[in-house]
Amino acid sequence: MNTSARHLSGAVNEAGRGTRIRSGIVHPGWLRISHWLNALAVIIMIGSGWRIYNASPLFDFRFPDDITLGGWLAGALNWHFAAMWLLGINGLIYLLINVLSGRLWRKFWPLSPRAFVTDFVAAFKGRLSHADPRRYNSVQKVAYLLVVLDLVLLVLSGLVLWKSVQFPLLSLLLGGYETARYIHFFAMAGLVAFIVVHLVMVLLVPRSLLTMIRGR
Amino acid sequence: MNDRQNKMDVDAVLREAAAQMGRYSRRSFLKHVTTLGGLSLLTGCSISDESHVEDALGRISKFNDKVQAWLFDPKRLAQTYSEAEITRPFPFNAYYSEKHVPHVDAADFRLEVGGKVSSRHSWTLAELRVLPQVEQITRHICVEGWSAIGRWGGVPFAEFLKRIGADTSAKYVAFHCADDYYTSIDMATALHPQTQLTLSFDGQVLPPKYGFPMKVRMPTKLGYKNPKHVRAISITNIYPGATGKTRGTTGLVAVRPSPGCAKGRHLAAMSERS
C-alpha cells in the first residue's frame, strides 16, 4: 500500500473496502462548490418565484415585495429563467458525481426507519452526537434525500408551468397545468422549511459550516 | 457590453425601426423605437448601477428564446378540453380597464394585409366568415400564472395565409391592434394547426372585451402573444418587435423601470397585459 503521499486517518470508513480517506477531509471540493452554487441558485429561484407568485396568488396572501427579487413580473421571470440553468446543471452534476463515485451509497446507506426515530428523538433531547462530521445521522440522511427529491419535483413541475404544451406527458403525470402550480408552490414551501431547519442546525453545530467551506 | 458596442447595437436597431416606418405616423414610430430601442431611451430608469446584471439576464433571456424555439414542435397540439370544462365567466385582462375596451364598427371594419403577400385585398368580416371555420376548446395561460379554458372559433390561420398568398418562407407575422397593442410571431407558430384567426367566442360573435372584431388565438403561446382587436397583419423578414418585449417571440424586457418614469410604467403595464 502506498503510504508516502497519503495519511490514513484513525477512523475507518463504514461502507468498507476500496475507499480512500484523505487526511481529515469531510466534504470534498466538488461537493462544497456544488453546495454553495445550489444555495445561490435556490435563493434566486425562491426570491424571484415569490414575485411571480404575487402576480397571480394561489392563496389569500402575497409575499412582501421587499423580500422578492426582480422588481416586477418581467424582471422576476428573467431571474427565474436564468437561475434555473444554474440549479438544473449544478444539480445534475451533483447527482452524477455522487452516484458515479459511490459517495451517495456511502453517505446515505443504510437507511432504517428505526434509526431515524432513535436519532430524531435524540435530536429533540439535544443528545444527537456530531462527533464524526463525516457521518450523517439518520435524520440528516432522510432530510437531505427528501430535499433532493423536493428539488427534482420543483424542476419537473416548473417545466410543466414553463412549457405545458411541449411536455404533455410530464403535464399529465403532474395533473395538468393548474395542479402543477400547486405542486410547485408546496414543493417550494417544503424547500423553505428545509432551509429554516438546516440553518438552525448549522447555528447549533457551527463546525458544520466550517467543514462545508474548508472541507475539514 | 462596452459603450461602442452598445451604440452600434442601438444604431442598428434604430435603422431597423426607420426602415419599418413607411407610412407610419410619428406616434407609431416613437412606440416602435420604444420597443426596439427601449434600452437606449430608458437611461433615466435606474439601470446604470445594475446594467451589467441586466445585460447578463438579457443575454440569458435571448439564449432561452433559442432553447424555446428548439423545443417548439410544430406538430405537437395543445391539450383540448370538453365543453363542461370551459371557464365561465372567462376573465377579462388588458393593460386598461374594461370600460376602455376599443369599440370597432363591424360594417366599416377592414382587415388590412401587407408585406410579403400576393394579395393586399382588405377583408370585411363577412368575407372572413365565409372562409372555412374551425373551433377549439383550449387553455389560455397568462404570463401572470393564471389560466382559463375557453372556446374560440374562426379561420385556421394557415388557411388565411394561403388565401392572401403569404410568403410562408418569411420569418415573422406582425399584428397591429385597435387598442394600440402591437405584437409579432414567428412563422412556425403562425402555421401551427391550432393558430386561429378568431371571430367567435363560446359560440357567439367575439365580444369587444375579448377582442372584437378579431383576435389571433395561439394555444402554443402565452396570452399576451394572442393579440385582440387585430386591424392589420403583415408578413416580413425584418424582426418587427412587440410591445414591451425585446428580441424573440417570448423574450421579456430585462430593464427595471423606476417609479417616476412614464415610459417605464407603460412598459411595465405592457408586460403584464394578457
Side-chain angles (χ1 to χ4, degrees), chain A residues 52-184:
Chain A
I52 296 168
Y53 166 91
N54 282 352
S56 179
L58 289 174
F59 305 103
D60 198 15
F61 77 93
R62 296 175 80 251
F63 296 98
D65 279 345
D66 291 345
I67 58 170
T68 68
L69 177 65
W72 56 326
L73 176 60
L77 286 165
N78 272 337
W79 279 104
H80 212 69
F81 294 146
M84 72 175 179
W85 294 107
L86 181 62
L87 184 76
I89 294 173
N90 180 59
L92 268 175
I93 293 175
Y94 163 81
L95 286 173
L96 272 173
I97 301 185
N98 240 340
V99 167
L100 294 176
S101 71
R103 182 183 173 275
L104 191 69
W105 320 123
R106 281 200 302 278
K107 288 289 197 187
F108 293 93
W109 202 256
L111 191 61
S112 103
R114 188 177 320 177
F116 173 75
V117 172
T118 311
D119 285 351
F120 192 79
V121 169
F124 261 95
K125 291 185 184 161
R127 295 212 201 105
L128 190 53
S129 164
H130 291 273
D132 182 1
R134 279 184 308 242
R135 280 197 61 239
Y136 289 159
N137 59 61
S138 292
V139 178
Q140 278 176 296
K141 289 179 188 178
V142 168
Y144 298 155
L145 284 173
L146 280 181
V147 80
V148 166
L149 289 173
D150 188 63
L151 281 164
V152 169
L153 190 58
L154 272 165
V155 169
L156 293 179
S157 58
L159 286 176
V160 172
L161 296 180
W162 183 46
K163 290 271 130 201
S164 71
V165 176
Q166 305 307 329
F167 295 125
L169 183 58
L170 204 50
S171 177
L172 185 70
L173 283 174
L174 293 183
Y177 176 82
E178 285 291 336
T179 305
R181 291 182 75 196
Y182 286 88
I183 294 176
H184 203 66

Side-chain angles (χ1 to χ4, degrees), chain B:
Chain B
M1 191 191 303
N2 61 52
D3 280 334
R4 186 164 159 275
Q5 215 175 323
N6 197 17
K7 187 175 187 314
M8 277 165 57
D9 285 350
V10 166
D11 283 351
V13 141
L14 287 173
R15 266 199 302 278
E16 260 182 37
Q20 282 292 94
M21 250 161 69
R23 45 201 240 298
Y24 292 156
S25 66
R26 182 168 59 178
R27 181 162 151 264
S28 257
F29 169 72
L30 276 176
K31 189 159 55 63
H32 295 170
V33 169
T34 310
T35 59
L36 293 172
L39 281 175
S40 69
L41 292 176
L42 287 171
T43 46
C45 283
S46 27
I47 61 169
S48 45
D49 49 347
E50 301 153 7
S51 61
H52 294 111
V53 173
E54 303 291 0
D55 280 351
L57 288 176
R59 255 188 263 268
I60 296 173
S61 182
K62 284 184 204 163
F63 170 74
N64 283 342
D65 291 340
K66 294 201 179 82
V67 171
Q68 292 183 96
W70 173 77
L71 276 173
F72 183 76
D73 180 349
K75 289 186 294 308
R76 185 161 6 237
L77 300 180
Q79 189 179 348
T80 57
Y81 299 84
S82 70
E83 172 92 32
E85 293 171 286
I86 294 176
T87 309
R88 294 186 175 109
F90 194 86
F92 166 81
N93 197 332
Y95 61 93
Y96 43 81
S97 71
E98 224 178 297
K99 56 181 196 291
H100 290 115
V101 162
H103 284 261
V104 176
D105 185 273
D108 289 345
F109 175 77
R110 298 286 179 276
L111 174 66
E112 288 168 36
V113 164
K116 292 163 137 331
V117 295
S118 62
S119 162
R120 280 167 202 274
H121 163 79
S122 302
W123 296 71
T124 64
L125 283 176
E127 286 170 337
L128 289 169
R129 289 204 182 103
V130 297
L131 294 178
Q133 307 280 314
V134 290
E135 275 211 336
Q136 63 177 248
I137 302 178
T138 51
R139 186 183 292 276
H140 169 107
I141 301 177
C142 177
V143 67
E144 292 167 352
W146 59 269
S147 75
I149 295 171
R151 176 178 156 209
W152 290 270
V155 184
F157 198 67
E159 175 67 30
F160 179 72
L161 288 179
K162 201 161 34 161
R163 301 283 174 139
I164 63 176
D167 176 5
T168 55
S169 72
K171 291 193 195 156
Y172 308 105
V173 182
F175 303 101
H176 306 245
C177 307
D179 59 355
D180 284 344
Y181 196 65
Y182 175 84
T183 191
S184 61
I185 55 169
D186 57 301
M187 189 55 76
T189 303
L191 294 171
H192 186 272
Q194 287 170 311
T195 299
Q196 181 194 95
L197 192 66
T198 296
L199 302 166
S200 75
F201 181 77
D202 210 358
Q204 317 278 336
V205 171
L206 185 69
K209 66 177 171 175
Y210 298 143
F212 184 85
M214 72 188 57
K215 74 171 288 164
V216 181
R217 171 81 188 119
M218 296 170 242
T220 55
K221 293 286 174 291
L222 291 175
Y224 71 79
K225 296 303 294 186
N226 290 228
K228 298 189 281 193
H229 321 288
V230 175
R231 57 176 173 78
I233 295 176
S234 62
I235 315 295
T236 175
N237 274 323
I238 301 169
Y239 177 63
T243 311
K245 308 293 178 285
T246 56
R247 303 194 166 270
T249 52
T250 52
L252 294 170
V253 175
V255 173
R256 182 202 315 205
S258 69
C261 166
K263 270 197 277 291
R265 266 204 303 278
H266 186 61
L267 271 182
M270 289 289 148
S271 187
E272 315 245 6
R273 187 237 200 237
S274 175

